[in-house]
């Protein structure tokens, strides 16, 4: 196709993306991929289409194909999209040539300050936020970048003064504070700094509902439930986020009156907005935190929310479980979060069916509390990632709980890649079985041990700080995230560094063992079940447990594996050849292998 014909398909693709027809847009753009003159705009649109499907990895791949040197406006747009993908380091690299061509651009200077804040480079963020201000740039995002730079250097009082100055100048303080908080949501080491900054703010600023919600969240996440309650009370009733947080805080403090008032206000939002999906779906969260909910009413409201948000609930066998999986995996619902919330409600009801009792989960100030059929278990909330996982826990891997419901006290589960012990604790606590929890990442192991101990499961659970692999050895564990709950590690090879644009992988030395060797030595009991979640390193684990697989005492294996990739299918077949059947457990990547009865 001649370059002169490129604009029409590009405009057509824009319209298709606006209509949510992302795959059609990519098909329209496909013939333009070989045109050098169109590669920048085309790959930008391809990236945008993938973001519409919440597919960040493919969006980043498309943005990497945009040439390093493009016109400044396009370079700035690419950088902004990279920031949307949380890739601040790559955005900085894209902005440097822009600043060479237009060194006095306030927009580019502001963008590099925000990218530096996102990348955790406070010095760069402070320098460029100052330069951007001299050039005339002014925005809540730019001020938030400077605030974050100060917090990253633990200069909390200075950050508070900057917000106070912005407030006196008539700036949008709500936007500055919420932007700062959003950027820090994955920087758990900075939550305490955020809390100190918020504590230093003038009471008049803290009474603003949105600011109070950020301040109360920071206080609550550092374990100060009473202070969080006081901040919310001083600010009065705010928006939906403030009511949701107020409900969590009230339940933590045993304040039944405030908790009931929160539910009443959530109901009122539904009445005032009868055709809107979010008030109805948000109301579910209040009921799902307590095991005394009416399950029939919960199902009715879940069905209502599903109808308002999309295609509703479909009939069929095993409806609750099947619909939980469908709503969780529906890409169109991921960006607005509705799919996860509806899936959580459906997963709660499916778990109630499996365990024949009420089910609930709520996040406290320091621990999540999971209640299943009268059994209460706790998990330490060390990081924001763990908080997000537990907030919609019953949507995460509903097939895992169904699997556990069939365990007996005589069973033995080996949990390979146990992380913080979320499923270790549930398996042992719910079924009474024995569990061997194997986890290589030291930060996760610390929380794993805590979670086992706080639930009184030391007599049923053995924790091993190790990697399961194909041969015994000491090797390097590479990791990209430095907080508890992180799941992106690689044992024996660095598959991590290339995933990060602004740093190399961290490293620690870990002992690796084949499961067969541990059984032969008597260091662990023979397992009847094994769970494997090791981020692409499944083959060495299976190679190290061939003896277990071939033993008729072994009942089942649950494994996360991208089995649809052609290169993995032969590997899956080697497991089936040991006498197993297989089915998709919930997510398409989660397989459950079950031994076929002899004869």
């Amino acid at each position: 196709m001649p370059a002169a014909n490129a604009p029409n398909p590009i405009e057509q693709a824009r319209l298709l993306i606006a209509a949510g027809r992302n795959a059609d847009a990519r098909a329209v753009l496909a013939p333009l991929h070989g045109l050098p003159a169109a590669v920048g705009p085309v790959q930008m649109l391809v990236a945008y289409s993938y973001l519409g499907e919440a597919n960040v990895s493919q969006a980043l791949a498309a943005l990497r194909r945009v040439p390093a040197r493009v016109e400044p406006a396009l370079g700035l747009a690419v950088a902004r999209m990279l920031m949307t993908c949380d890739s601040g380091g790559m955005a900085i690299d894209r902005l440097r040539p822009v600043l060479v061509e237009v060194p006095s651009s306030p927009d580019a200077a502001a963008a590099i300050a925000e990218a530096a804040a996102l990348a955790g480079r406070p010095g760069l963020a402070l320098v460029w936020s100052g330069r951007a201000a001299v050039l005339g740039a002014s925005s809540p995002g730019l001020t938030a970048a400077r605030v974050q730079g100060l917090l990253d250097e633990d200069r909390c009082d200075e950050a508070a003064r900057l917000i106070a100055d912005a407030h006196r100048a008539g700036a949008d303080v709500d936007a500055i504070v919420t932007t700062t908080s959003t950027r820090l949501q994955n920087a758990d080491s900075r939550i305490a700094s955020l809390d100190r900054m918020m504590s230093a703010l003038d009471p008049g600023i803290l009474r603003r509902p949105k600011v109070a919600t950020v301040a109360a969240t920071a206080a609550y996440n550092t374990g100060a439930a009473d202070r969080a309650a006081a901040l919310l009370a001083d600010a009065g009733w705010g928006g939906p986020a403030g009511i949701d947080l107020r409900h969590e805080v009230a339940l933590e403090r045993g304040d039944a009156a405030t908790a009931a008032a929160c539910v009443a206000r959530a109901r009122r939002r539904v009445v005032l907005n009868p055709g809107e999906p979010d008030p109805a779906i948000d109301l579910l969260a209040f009921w799902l935190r307590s095991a005394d909910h009416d399950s029939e009413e919960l199902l009715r409201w879940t069905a209502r929310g599903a109808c308002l948000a999309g295609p509703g609930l479909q009939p069929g066998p095993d409806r609750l479980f099947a619909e939980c999986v469908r709503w969780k995996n529906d890409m169109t619902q991921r960006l607005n979060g509705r799919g996860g919330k509806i899936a959580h409600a459906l997963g709660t009801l499916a778990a109630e069916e499996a365990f024949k009792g009420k089910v609930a989960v709520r996040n406290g100030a320091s621990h999540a509390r999971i209640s299943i059929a009268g059994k209460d278990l706790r998990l330490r909330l060390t990081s924001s990632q763990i908080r997000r996982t537990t907030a919609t826990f019953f949507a995460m891997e509903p097939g895992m709980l169904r699997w556990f419901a069939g365990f007996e006290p005589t069973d033995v589960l080996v949990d390979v890649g146990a992380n913080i012990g979320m499923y270790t604790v549930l398996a042992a606590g719910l079924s009474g079985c024995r569990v061997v929890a194997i986890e290589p990442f030291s930060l996760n192991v610390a929380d794993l041990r805590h979670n086992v101990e706080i639930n009184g499961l030391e007599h049923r659970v053995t924790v091993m700080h190790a990697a399961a692999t194909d041969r015994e050895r000491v090797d390097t564990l590479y990791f990209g995230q430095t907080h508890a709950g992180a799941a992106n590690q690689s044992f024996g090879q660095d598959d991590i560094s290339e995933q990060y644009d602004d740093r190399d992988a961290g490293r620690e030395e870990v002992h690796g063992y084949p499961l067969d060797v541990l059984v032969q030595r008597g260091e662990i009991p023979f397992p009847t079940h094994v769970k494997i979640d090791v981020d692409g390193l499944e083959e060495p684990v299976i190679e190290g447990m061939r003896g277990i697989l071939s033993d008729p005492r072994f009942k089942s294996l649950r494994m996360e594996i991208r089995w649809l990739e052609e290169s993995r299918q032969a590997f899956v077949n080697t497991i089936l050849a040991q006498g197993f059947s297989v089915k998709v457990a919930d997510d398409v990547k989660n397989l459950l292998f079950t031994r076929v009865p002899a004869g």
Side-chain angles (χ1 to χ4, degrees):
M1 178 183 293
N5 295 334
N8 290 332
I10 287 174
E11 184 57 34
Q12 184 183 357
R14 286 196 182 100
L15 294 173
L16 288 169
I17 291 170
R21 295 169 58 187
N22 296 298
D24 291 341
R26 291 193 292 272
V28 167
L29 293 169
L32 305 182
H33 284 196
L35 298 177
V39 65
V42 166
Q43 293 304 327
M44 274 283 293
L45 285 172
V46 169
Y48 195 67
S49 75
Y50 278 121
L51 282 180
E53 297 172 350
N55 192 335
V56 174
S57 62
Q58 288 296 330
L60 284 171
L63 291 170
R64 288 188 179 101
R65 289 192 286 269
V66 177
R69 292 194 173 276
V70 293
E71 62 180 85
L74 182 58
L76 181 58
V78 170
R80 286 287 182 189
M81 192 172 289
L82 285 166
M83 283 188 268
T84 300
C85 297
D86 289 331
S87 291
M90 287 178 64
I92 292 170
D93 291 340
R94 289 286 179 169
L95 287 164
R96 282 180 175 134
V98 173
L99 286 163
V100 168
E101 290 196 40
V102 282
S104 60
S105 167
D107 291 338
I112 202 167
E114 293 181 47
L118 186 63
R121 298 175 64 176
L124 196 64
L126 293 172
V127 167
W128 278 101
S129 61
R131 178 169 174 76
V134 169
L135 292 171
S138 176
S139 71
L142 177 61
T143 305
R146 186 164 187 81
V147 170
Q148 187 180 339
L150 292 169
L151 290 179
D152 283 344
E153 294 186 348
D154 208 25
R155 296 157 63 182
C156 305
D157 289 342
E158 289 181 62
R161 287 196 293 272
L162 179 61
I163 291 174
D165 290 344
H167 182 248
R168 283 192 291 272
D172 188 348
V173 173
D174 290 349
I176 293 168
V177 171
T178 54
T179 299
T180 302
S181 174
T182 300
R183 287 178 181 161
L184 288 172
Q185 67 181 351
N186 290 321
D188 296 292
S189 61
R190 292 287 169 259
I191 296 300
S193 296
L194 178 64
D195 183 40
R196 288 196 295 273
M197 180 194 77
M198 301 306 290
S199 298
L201 288 177
D202 180 88
I205 299 176
L206 282 173
R207 280 193 288 270
R208 300 172 67 91
K210 289 185 177 180
V211 176
T213 298
V214 171
T217 300
Y220 193 55
N221 290 356
T222 54
D226 290 344
R227 184 153 54 85
L231 285 162
L232 292 168
D234 286 347
W237 291 91
I243 296 173
D244 191 73
L245 175 65
R246 193 186 296 256
H247 186 247
E248 279 196 3
V249 173
L251 291 176
E252 179 76 354
R253 300 176 67 241
D255 182 354
T258 300
C262 292
V263 175
R265 284 181 174 268
R267 283 182 177 275
R268 193 176 307 153
R269 284 190 68 228
V270 175
V271 172
L272 295 175
N273 302 277
E276 293 296 319
D278 291 321
I281 294 171
D282 289 343
L283 180 58
L284 299 175
F286 294 86
W287 289 328
L288 291 169
R289 294 189 184 112
S290 173
D292 65 0
H293 58 251
D294 182 325
S295 299
E296 292 185 2
E297 183 180 24
L298 179 59
L299 178 56
R300 287 195 299 271
W301 278 91
T302 303
R304 177 176 177 176
C307 286
L308 291 171
L313 302 183
Q314 298 178 0
D318 206 8
R319 182 189 187 203
L320 293 173
F321 181 83
E323 287 299 277
C324 171
V325 172
R326 184 174 72 87
W327 275 89
K328 177 194 173 183
N329 294 334
D330 185 349
M331 297 296 293
T332 64
Q333 298 291 339
R334 286 197 176 183
L335 286 180
N336 56 37
R338 293 169 183 161
K341 294 174 183 177
I342 291 174
H344 178 53
L346 291 164
T348 298
L349 294 168
E352 291 183 356
E353 281 190 345
F355 288 94
K356 306 294 189 286
K358 292 295 183 66
V359 166
V361 62
R362 68 177 177 85
N363 284 344
S366 60
H367 289 79
R369 289 162 170 78
I370 301 173
S371 175
I372 298 179
K375 296 181 179 178
D376 295 314
L377 300 164
R378 290 190 287 170
L379 297 168
R380 184 157 65 181
L381 296 170
T382 317
S383 70
S384 55
Q385 179 171 325
I386 300 173
R387 282 186 176 275
R388 288 193 298 272
T389 299
T390 52
T392 54
F393 174 78
F394 293 104
M396 296 305 297
E397 295 194 44
M400 190 80 76
L401 289 174
R402 172 171 292 198
W403 188 38
F404 293 164
F407 284 15
E408 301 289 342
T410 53
D411 280 319
V412 176
L413 169 69
V414 174
D415 187 354
V416 178
N419 202 276
I420 65 164
M422 183 178 298
Y423 294 117
T424 290
V425 164
L426 285 168
L430 296 175
S431 73
C433 73
R434 292 207 44 198
V435 181
V436 177
I438 301 177
E439 170 59 36
F441 186 38
S442 57
L443 290 179
N444 286 343
V445 172
D447 268 23
L448 168 58
R449 294 188 192 280
H450 172 88
N451 290 331
V452 169
E453 291 170 5
I454 200 170
N455 288 290
L457 295 171
E458 303 97 317
H459 63 295
R460 293 187 206 161
V461 177
T462 300
V463 175
M464 294 187 65
H465 183 187
T469 187
D470 55 348
R471 57 188 174 84
E472 186 172 356
R473 67 188 188 275
V474 175
D475 212 327
T476 302
L477 181 77
Y478 298 89
F479 54 90
Q481 299 169 314
T482 54
H483 57 77
N488 193 16
Q489 299 104 33
S490 181
F491 179 67
Q493 58 192 58
D494 185 3
D495 294 333
I496 306 299
S497 292
E498 64 183 20
Q499 300 176 29
Y500 293 89
D501 56 83
D502 55 2
R503 63 188 184 277
D504 292 329
R507 305 180 181 196
E508 60 181 75
E509 297 300 306
V510 176
H511 209 129
Y513 299 95
L515 296 186
D516 282 343
V517 169
L518 294 174
V519 170
Q520 289 161 11
R521 291 177 181 169
E523 295 184 32
I524 66 172
F526 184 88
T528 53
H529 307 282
V530 170
K531 165 191 158 284
I532 300 174
D533 185 354
V534 290
D535 298 317
L537 296 176
E538 298 81 19
E539 283 93 335
V541 179
I542 292 296
E543 192 59 37
M545 58 174 287
R546 289 292 179 185
I548 294 170
L549 283 173
S550 63
D551 192 309
R553 292 176 293 170
F554 182 68
K555 299 176 183 178
S556 68
L557 164 69
R558 180 183 165 105
M559 178 166 59
E560 180 179 309
I561 179 173
R562 300 193 180 280
W563 60 276
L564 288 174
E565 296 175 6
E566 188 175 350
S567 61
R568 315 302 294 279
Q569 291 173 8
F571 168 61
V572 170
N573 289 336
T574 66
I575 300 173
L576 294 174
Q578 296 289 331
F580 293 89
S581 62
V582 68
K583 66 177 182 180
V584 174
D586 35 51
D587 286 3
V588 70
K589 66 181 182 299
N590 290 328
L591 296 182
L592 180 62
F593 297 84
T594 305
R595 185 171 298 283
V596 178

